[in-house]
């Protein structure tokens, strides 16, 4: 079993304790990362308002990036962004056995990496998440199983490019991390 930290679980527990608990969680997340724990982004975004399916993943990656950038001794700046992106992609695939690395045999198509033999579910972004991790919300195209997905089919309210996720993104960017 791989040691891992799910940031939203930690943030939920810290929410009762105020800003000091958020800082404690950020420091502990960074310490665990610095000592080799695998960080994961999950889909358990209950308790965060407003809850929009999928947005919690982006926000959780942002929280991991903030924790590492502020308190890690090994991951700052772009390295913190990369660690947060891995937490949302390849680390999650490794932890949940969705990969074909090291002889693992998933029951469905392998995923979590961009390489031959893996399911091609990916987002094409307008701006690099290595510059700003919340650029993961600036989605240009979605590919599902290697095929370009129709944006209107996925979320009709976003077909014009101005859905509630974009409004929440602007609110998140305007606020400093707790």
């Amino acid at each position: 079993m791989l040691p891992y930290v799910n940031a939203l679980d930690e943030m939920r527990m810290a929410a009762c304790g105020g800003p000091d608990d958020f800082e404690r969680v950020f420091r502990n997340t960074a310490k665990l990362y610095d000592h080799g724990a695998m960080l994961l982004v999950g889909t358990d975004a209950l308790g965060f308002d407003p809850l929009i399916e999928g947005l919690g993943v982006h926000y959780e990656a942002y929280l991991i990036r903030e924790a590492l950038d502020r308190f890690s001794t090994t991951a700052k700046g772009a390295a913190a962004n990369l660690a947060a992106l891995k937490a949302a992609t390849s680390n999650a695939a490794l932890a949940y056995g969705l990969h074909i690395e090291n002889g693992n045999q998933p029951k469905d198509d392998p995923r979590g990496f961009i390489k031959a033999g893996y399911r091609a579910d990916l987002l094409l972004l307008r701006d690099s998440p290595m510059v700003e991790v919340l650029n993961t919300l600036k989605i240009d195209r979605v590919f599902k199983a290697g095929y370009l997905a129709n944006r209107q089919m996925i979320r009709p309210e976003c077909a014009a490019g101005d859905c509630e996720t974009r409004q929440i993104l602007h609110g998140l960017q305007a606020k400093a991390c707790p």
Side-chain angles (χ1 to χ4, degrees):
M1 183 69 181
L2 299 168
Y4 69 90
V5 175
N6 184 298
L8 281 178
D9 287 339
E10 287 292 313
M11 296 308 285
R12 251 195 308 281
M13 289 185 279
C16 298
D20 290 341
D21 268 2
F22 279 105
E23 184 171 319
R24 177 189 54 79
V25 169
F26 277 20
R27 284 184 189 280
N28 287 341
T29 299
K31 281 181 191 176
L32 286 163
Y33 176 82
D34 289 345
H35 286 91
M38 178 184 288
L39 302 181
L40 300 180
V41 168
T43 58
D44 58 341
L46 296 176
F48 281 90
D49 289 319
L51 176 61
I52 296 176
E53 187 176 290
L55 183 61
V57 171
H58 299 274
Y59 187 54
E60 189 172 357
Y62 169 77
L63 292 173
I64 288 173
R65 186 253 181 246
E66 286 295 304
L68 297 181
D69 194 53
R70 290 168 63 182
F71 299 110
S72 174
T73 59
T74 61
K76 302 278 187 196
N81 288 359
L82 180 59
L85 293 170
K86 283 184 174 182
T89 57
S90 57
N91 286 1
L94 289 169
Y96 290 108
L98 303 174
H99 60 93
I100 53 175
E101 308 301 305
N102 304 318
N104 187 59
Q105 295 296 319
K107 64 178 182 174
D108 294 321
D109 294 334
R111 58 195 74 206
F113 297 86
I114 300 174
K115 57 176 26 175
Y118 279 76
R119 184 180 166 112
D121 291 341
L122 59 97
L123 303 175
L124 180 62
L125 305 173
R126 288 190 294 275
D127 294 311
S128 174
M130 291 300 293
V131 173
E132 168 55 58
V133 80
L134 282 177
N135 283 344
T136 58
L137 289 166
K138 297 178 180 179
I139 300 167
D140 186 61
R141 295 191 179 122
V142 175
F143 290 86
K144 193 83 170 142
Y147 295 96
L148 180 61
N150 180 324
R151 185 178 191 136
Q152 189 166 359
M153 286 173 39
I154 295 170
R155 296 218 32 217
E157 68 275 20
C158 295
D162 187 33
C163 62
E164 70 277 10
T165 304
R166 200 174 302 264
Q167 295 165 6
I168 292 169
L169 167 64
H170 294 306
L172 285 175
Q173 289 176 326
K175 294 179 184 176
C177 216

